[in-house]
């Protein structure tokens, strides 16, 4: 097989276990490519790729680059001195960015790209699940697993390809969708964007990539998104559909009614009310579902059938995912790491908790993000009844002098939060178990390895005496 301008018949993925990279590797393997790759460690995702026939090495070394490799696929997280990348350049093997590979995979399909500072993974997942529920057999590439390792991507027989479009490194400029969603526009990714103006310019470029006669679905509720709408208004060949609770929204949300861990949503469509269920809690997830509904309608999918099918979506891993219950305490995992996401998830969990308390163990993600948004993160944590803050998860970054989790803790205390530091990652489960009482909800929150604490908290809850 061969894909457009990039030879992907025998690709080698550096960092193949990552959320975005593994999805592309899966699709290529299913399409018949000879896939190889490497990752820093063993994982369920790596094992799932091997089951599809991929050759995956653990660790990075020049000898891991197979003879006959047609191209090497990298993400922005791969450093220039990676030995496999160095070997590829020495051997003259073409190096392809992940976004170019995804763009090639979308070629010849009706592409639907989901962008925004928050909510991309959830909205993309909602579309993938609901379109599959309708028998449309979409292909999709998502930044998170739906329900099992390797479920972040799928090669479908249908004509629709749904993809999460990442603005963090401007890679979403590579796509040319028929329909695009922009959920919100806020300042983030501080290593790549110096100002909100640069963010707006980047999203404008993305909108400019929509195919002539295509559709932009954009939030009517978020000011950054409304600013984007103002900037692109009147462009020839662009249909704009605004969605949200705002009175001037084209697809208006009339009501979101919380029902425990689900929501009932009513929208006004063609002058008539349409009510459907979203099987995850929180107003922001309900609004994501409405954006998905509008995008599907733009592709010609019947509204009532799609609205009903959206109820089949039960969540994506790490997006308010219930990890289990012990001693009357539910443990839920949240990927939220930006203040807006944190506040939205905490508000959703607050509704679901009823009379119980909301307890959070939060792991800040990236030194640069903490440096810029520590105050806002602290304010978000004030929405919980009590919080434990871990040390910063560095991911791809080197430390920044003076930037520690204490910046967030100080801000949270100024906002009136009950918050404490925990520098020993391994001690956190016992700390949370000691705080929790029957009826409480414990939230593990952050984009790093804090997700691994859920099972350990459940085990610790089973071993400790009830809190008083």
């Amino acid at each position: 097989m061969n894909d457009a301008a990039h030879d992907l018949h025998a690709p080698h993925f550096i960092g193949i276990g990552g959320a975005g990279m593994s999805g592309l590797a899966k699709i290529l393997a299913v399409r018949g490519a000879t896939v190889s790759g490497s990752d820093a460690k063993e994982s369920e995702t790596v094992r799932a790729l091997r089951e599809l026939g991929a050759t995956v090495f653990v660790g990075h070394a020049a000898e891991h680059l197979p003879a006959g490799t047609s191209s090497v696929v990298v993400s922005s997280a791969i450093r220039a001195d990676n030995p496999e990348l160095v070997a590829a350049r020495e051997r003259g093997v073409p190096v392809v960015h992940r976004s170019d590979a995804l763009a090639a995979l979308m070629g010849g399909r009706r592409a639907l790209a989901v962008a925004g500072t928050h909510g991309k993974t959830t909205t993309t997942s909602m579309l993938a699940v609901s379109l599959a529920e309708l028998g449309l057999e979409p292909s999709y590439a998502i930044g998170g697993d739906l329900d099992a390792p390797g479920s972040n991507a799928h090669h479908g027989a249908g004509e629709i390809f749904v993809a999460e479009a990442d603005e963090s490194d401007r890679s979403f400029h590579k796509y040319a969708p028929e329909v695009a969603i922009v959920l919100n526009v806020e300042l983030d990714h501080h290593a790549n964007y110096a100002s909100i103006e640069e963010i707006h310019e980047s999203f404008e470029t993305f909108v400019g990539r929509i195919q002539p006669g295509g559709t932009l679905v954009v939030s009517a509720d978020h000011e950054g998104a409304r600013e984007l709408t103002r900037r692109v208004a009147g462009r020839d060949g662009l249909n704009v559909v605004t969605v949200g609770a705002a009175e001037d929204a084209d697809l208006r949300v009339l009501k979101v009614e919380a029902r425990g861990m689900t929501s009932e949503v009513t929208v006004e469509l063609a002058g008539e009310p349409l009510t459907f269920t979203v099987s995850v809690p929180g107003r922001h997830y309900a609004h994501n579902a409405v954006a998905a509904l509008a995008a599907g309608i733009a592709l010609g999918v019947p509204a009532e059938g799609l609205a009903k099918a959206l109820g089949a979506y039960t969540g994506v891993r790490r997006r308010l995912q219930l990890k289990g219950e012990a001693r009357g305490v539910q443990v839920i995992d949240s990927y939220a790491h930006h203040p807006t996401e944190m506040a939205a998830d905490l508000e959703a969990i607050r509704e679901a908790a009823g009379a119980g308390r909301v307890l959070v163990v939060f792991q800040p993600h990236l030194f640069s993000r903490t440096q810029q948004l520590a105050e806002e993160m602290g304010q978000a944590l004030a929405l919980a009844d009590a919080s434990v803050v871990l040390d910063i998860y560095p991911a791809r970054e080197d430390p920044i002098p003076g930037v520690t989790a204490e910046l967030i803790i100080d801000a949270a205390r100024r906002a009136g939060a009950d918050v404490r530091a925990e520098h020993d990652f391994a001690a956190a489960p016992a700390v949370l178990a000691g705080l929790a009482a029957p009826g409480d909800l414990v939230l593990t929150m952050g984009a790093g390895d804090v997700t691994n604490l859920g099972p350990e908290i459940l085990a610790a809850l089973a071993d400790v005496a009830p809190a008083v």
Side-chain angles (χ1 to χ4, degrees):
M1 55 143 315
N2 201 313
D3 283 89
H6 302 291
D7 189 343
L8 298 171
H9 81 273
H12 181 80
F13 288 78
I14 303 177
I16 197 170
M21 298 283 271
S22 62
L24 302 187
K26 177 182 178 180
I27 292 174
L28 282 164
V30 172
R31 288 189 182 183
T34 302
V35 175
S36 65
S38 62
D39 207 57
K41 59 184 179 181
E42 280 286 345
S43 66
E44 293 179 81
T45 299
V46 163
R47 288 188 283 274
L49 286 169
R50 289 197 185 110
E51 290 179 7
L52 290 172
T55 300
V56 183
F57 302 94
V58 174
H60 301 292
E63 56 267 27
H64 291 166
L65 189 65
T69 296
S70 64
S71 57
V72 168
V73 184
V74 299
S75 71
S76 300
I78 304 303
R79 296 184 182 238
D81 61 355
N82 180 282
E84 292 163 36
L85 181 56
V86 172
R89 296 195 186 283
E90 289 175 349
R91 285 165 44 179
V93 178
V95 177
V96 178
H97 190 273
R98 179 190 63 81
S99 58
D100 289 305
L102 176 55
L105 292 181
M106 287 193 285
R109 305 288 177 112
R110 300 185 69 192
L112 196 165
V114 182
T117 313
H118 328 289
K120 294 184 292 292
T121 298
T122 298
T123 308
T124 310
S125 303
M126 287 175 167
L127 279 160
V129 169
S130 57
L131 293 173
E133 183 77 6
L134 292 172
L136 296 175
E137 299 188 56
S139 297
Y140 56 83
I142 307 169
D145 287 330
L146 290 172
D147 51 17
S151 63
N152 58 332
H154 177 70
H155 170 64
E159 62 179 357
I160 298 173
F161 196 120
V162 184
E164 182 172 335
D166 183 13
E167 84 283 1
S168 66
D169 56 2
R170 296 177 172 83
S171 61
F172 67 162
H173 297 169
K174 305 289 180 63
Y175 313 138
E178 178 180 339
V179 177
I181 296 174
V182 174
L183 298 163
N184 35 61
V185 180
E186 293 184 27
L187 181 58
D188 196 6
H189 314 296
H190 305 277
N192 292 321
Y193 294 100
S195 66
I196 188 63
E197 178 59 29
E198 285 191 11
I199 292 272
H200 278 301
E201 290 172 357
S202 187
F203 274 91
E204 278 190 82
T205 300
F206 170 66
V207 172
R209 296 281 297 164
I210 297 172
Q211 295 174 14
T215 301
L216 169 66
V217 174
V218 60
S219 171
D221 296 332
H222 293 269
E223 180 50 40
R226 291 183 71 92
E227 171 62 19
L228 177 66
T229 302
R230 287 190 285 269
R231 291 181 180 219
V232 302
R235 287 192 182 183
D236 289 340
L238 178 66
N239 302 305
V240 178
V241 176
T242 58
V243 298
E247 289 188 5
D248 60 350
D250 297 318
L251 180 56
R252 189 179 176 197
V253 180
L254 300 178
K255 183 173 65 173
V256 177
E257 186 175 347
R259 295 190 173 181
M261 292 295 282
T262 69
S263 300
E264 188 174 87
V265 186
T266 301
V267 299
E268 184 179 4
L269 182 64
E272 297 293 330
L274 174 63
T275 299
F276 61 100
T277 298
V278 178
S279 299
V280 285
R283 182 172 296 272
H284 60 301
Y285 288 118
H287 281 245
N288 290 344
V290 175
L293 177 66
I297 293 171
L299 283 174
V301 181
E304 290 195 9
L306 181 56
K308 184 177 179 180
L310 281 164
Y313 170 81
T314 56
V316 65
R317 294 173 105 199
R318 303 229 49 214
R319 271 65 174 184
L320 293 187
Q321 180 190 12
L322 178 64
K323 304 296 285 189
E325 182 174 342
R327 218 186 70 231
V329 177
Q330 290 184 313
V331 177
I332 296 168
D333 192 31
S334 163
Y335 186 70
H337 51 281
H338 184 281
T340 302
E341 300 164 344
M342 293 165 64
D345 275 7
L346 284 167
E347 287 168 357
I349 289 300
R350 170 69 63 204
E351 290 182 349
R357 295 178 303 158
V358 175
L359 310 176
V360 177
V361 52
F362 175 62
Q363 182 186 52
H365 186 259
L366 299 181
F367 294 100
S368 60
R369 183 177 287 121
T370 303
Q371 184 180 43
Q372 295 291 329
L373 298 174
E375 190 72 28
E376 292 85 349
M377 290 178 186
Q379 291 168 359
L381 289 177
L383 297 171
D385 291 289
S387 300
V388 174
V389 178
L390 305 174
D391 291 340
I392 296 170
Y393 185 83
R396 58 190 176 271
E397 290 188 341
D398 295 322
I400 298 174
V403 178
T404 71
E406 294 297 328
L407 296 175
I408 299 169
I409 292 168
D410 290 345
R413 286 176 177 153
R414 286 194 294 273
D418 177 358
V419 61
R420 66 198 74 184
E422 180 51 69
H423 302 292
D424 183 355
F425 187 88
V431 172
L432 269 296
L435 288 172
D440 291 346
L441 294 180
V442 173
L443 204 60
T444 57
M445 178 176 279
D449 56 2
V450 66
T451 183
N452 298 330
L453 292 183
E456 297 180 27
I457 293 170
L458 289 166
L461 280 165
D463 289 341
V464 303
V468 269

